[in-house]
Amino acid sequence: MLVMIVEDHPLVRRAVAGELLLIRPDLTLIERDDLRTTLEALASGTVPDLMMLDLMLPDAKGMGAIQEISGVFPVDRIVTFSGEEDRELLICVHERGVRGFILKSSPTTSDQFRAVLAGERSFPPLPKRDSEAALSLTALELEVLKFMASPETPGSFKHVARSLKLTERATLRTIQRIRKKLGASTKAQALARARQLGLIRN
């Protein structure tokens, strides 16, 4: 079984590798320290059976890393881990379909590693969402969100509409859906929440 560990801190990589090998000494492990080299490895034909993905990489944070990697790699083979417990990120990651979410400080890390290696999904207790609306954004909503955040695009939704060749009415409805899903009442709040979740980088 080939496992790729994607983590930018060498000490954490070694700790994860040691934990995995204690459980399954027959594992073959490969390591990457950022999103770019991970995507390059996948593109070159190195396809692991399981990927242990840190959600705070230097060049991708939160859902951003999952969205990029899942375009070329099965999302149900991704196990995310993080040093921070973010309520909304945990929900979002679970709904995206990854195999697991492991807190680096959790006392049950070994049990979770065993579960994901056995093909099971493993998560901390999931918090209840305040709203029933799904947090995951559609491709169009993500595109509009990126244009909203771009320093090259003026703040008006009319400029976003022209840039994406959408009607102003359709753009306004899309922005309203984005705010609702992110629990934001203003553009600034929506962009701040999107950055926190790793949906946009700038």
Side-chain angles (χ1 to χ4, degrees), residues 64 142 145-146 149 190-192 194-202:
L142 284 170
L145 185 63
K146 289 175 183 177
L191 294 180
R195 290 189 180 95
Q196 184 181 7
L197 291 171
L199 296 173
I200 53 177
R201 297 183 190 177
N202 60 318

Side-chain angles (χ1 to χ4, degrees), residues 95-115:
E95 291 181 352
R96 187 66 181 81
V98 303
R99 188 175 297 185
F101 182 101
I102 298 175
L103 283 170
K104 296 175 184 178
S105 59
S106 172
T108 61
T109 296
S110 295
D111 292 337
Q112 287 191 276
F113 280 148
R114 286 190 179 87

Side-chain angles (χ1 to χ4, degrees), residues 5-32:
I5 302 171
V6 185
E7 161 64 58
D8 59 310
H9 294 291
L11 289 176
V12 177
R13 283 201 307 270
R14 285 198 289 272
V16 172
E19 191 78 37
L20 292 172
L21 289 172
L22 279 176
I23 299 169
R24 287 277 303 273
D26 61 323
L27 293 176
T28 299
L29 304 180
I30 53 177
E31 299 178 4
R32 293 295 182 272

Side-chain angles (χ1 to χ4, degrees), residues 150-192:
S150 173
E152 300 175 1
T153 305
S156 169
F157 74 89
K158 295 181 180 180
H159 289 93
V160 176
R162 283 197 292 271
S163 299
L164 292 175
K165 296 181 172 58
L166 298 171
T167 66
E168 292 181 5
R169 184 175 181 181
T171 303
L172 186 56
R173 285 201 304 265
T174 303
I175 292 173
Q176 289 171 341
R177 288 198 304 272
I178 291 170
R179 289 179 180 174
K180 181 177 180 181
K181 289 184 177 183
L182 295 177
S185 57
T186 66
K187 173 189 172 183
Q189 289 175 356
L191 294 180

Side-chain angles (χ1 to χ4, degrees), residues 80-145:
T80 58
F81 57 100
S82 175
E84 300 179 8
E85 185 172 4
D86 183 308
R87 174 185 179 280
E88 287 292 344
L89 181 59
L90 172 56
I91 294 173
C92 200
V93 165
H94 181 270
E95 291 181 352
R96 187 66 181 81
V98 303
R99 188 175 297 185
F101 182 101
I102 298 175
L103 283 170
K104 296 175 184 178
S105 59
S106 172
T108 61
T109 296
S110 295
D111 292 337
Q112 287 191 276
F113 280 148
R114 286 190 179 87
V116 297
L117 288 172
E120 303 170 11
R121 298 189 81 195
S122 182
F123 292 83
L126 291 170
K128 294 181 180 179
R129 187 193 290 282
D130 293 335
S131 170
E132 295 298 321
L135 188 56
S136 56
L137 303 182
T138 66
L140 174 61
E141 289 164 352
L142 284 170
E143 194 70 18
V144 169
L145 185 63

